[in-house]
Amino acid sequence: MTRNNQKIRFFRQRIPSFACQPGCHDCCGPVTASSEEMAHLPVKTAAEHARALAELNCPHLGEKGCQVYTERPLICRLFGTTPRLVCPNGKRPANYIAPGVEQQIYQFFSETRQLLL
Ligand code: SF4
Ligand code: SF4
């Protein structure tokens, strides 16, 4: 496993989970991810990318929500778990993410090439 994959696994284990408003995908939109995360996502055509971007949407958002939920990028997981990315519907985990881990995630974002989904 590469160093980046180890970091992604480390972060995934430390981002708190919480129950969203059923059916909600208000925080989905154009997001980026590392190439390691992209490697686990289905490839979308240029037309699908263009259509999603034109609507400020994510190409993996389907009628029933996220189609890649178990492999969704770190930024999708982080949303709602920190006071910096507050859920507009008031959903949150009992405890926000540890500030040190959050900082390490932002550091990871700045050190890795991030690609638009
Ligand atoms: S975090 Fe909030 S805005 Fe995002 S899907 Fe969950 S309930 Fe909706
Ligand atoms: S990957 Fe899933 S959770 Fe993330 S923005 Fe796209 S549809 Fe939403």
Side-chain angles (χ1 to χ4, degrees):
M1 186 182 279
T2 67
R3 184 100 180 93
N4 279 351
N5 275 314
Q6 284 174 348
K7 286 188 184 178
I8 291 162
R9 192 164 75 169
F10 175 91
F11 295 144
R12 282 184 175 189
Q13 288 168 345
R14 283 160 181 80
I15 296 173
S17 58
F18 63 98
C20 282
Q21 193 164 289
C24 177
H25 46 75
D26 290 354
C27 60
C28 293
V31 296
T32 62
S34 60
S35 52
E36 287 82 0
E37 292 165 288
M38 292 294 266
H40 292 101
L41 298 176
V43 176
K44 293 285 177 180
T45 64
E48 288 170 320
H49 282 287
R51 200 178 314 127
L53 195 56
E55 297 168 355
L56 290 183
N57 225 333
C58 171
H60 297 291
L61 182 62
E63 299 251 316
K64 294 180 180 162
C66 180
Q67 296 171 320
V68 294
Y69 193 76
T70 56
E71 290 297 338
R72 68 197 187 287
L74 288 172
I75 189 66
C76 307
R77 295 164 190 264
L78 191 60
F79 197 89
T81 71
T82 158
R84 292 173 193 238
L85 297 169
V86 172
C87 165
N89 299 315
K91 302 295 182 185
R92 54 162 290 180
N95 296 306
Y96 279 138
I97 188 170
V101 176
E102 184 183 2
Q103 271 313 314
Q104 288 178 60
I105 293 174
Y106 295 137
Q107 181 77 24
F108 177 76
F109 289 159
S110 69
E111 287 171 350
T112 52
R113 187 159 161 258
Q114 293 282 311
L115 307 160
L116 184 67
L117 260 64

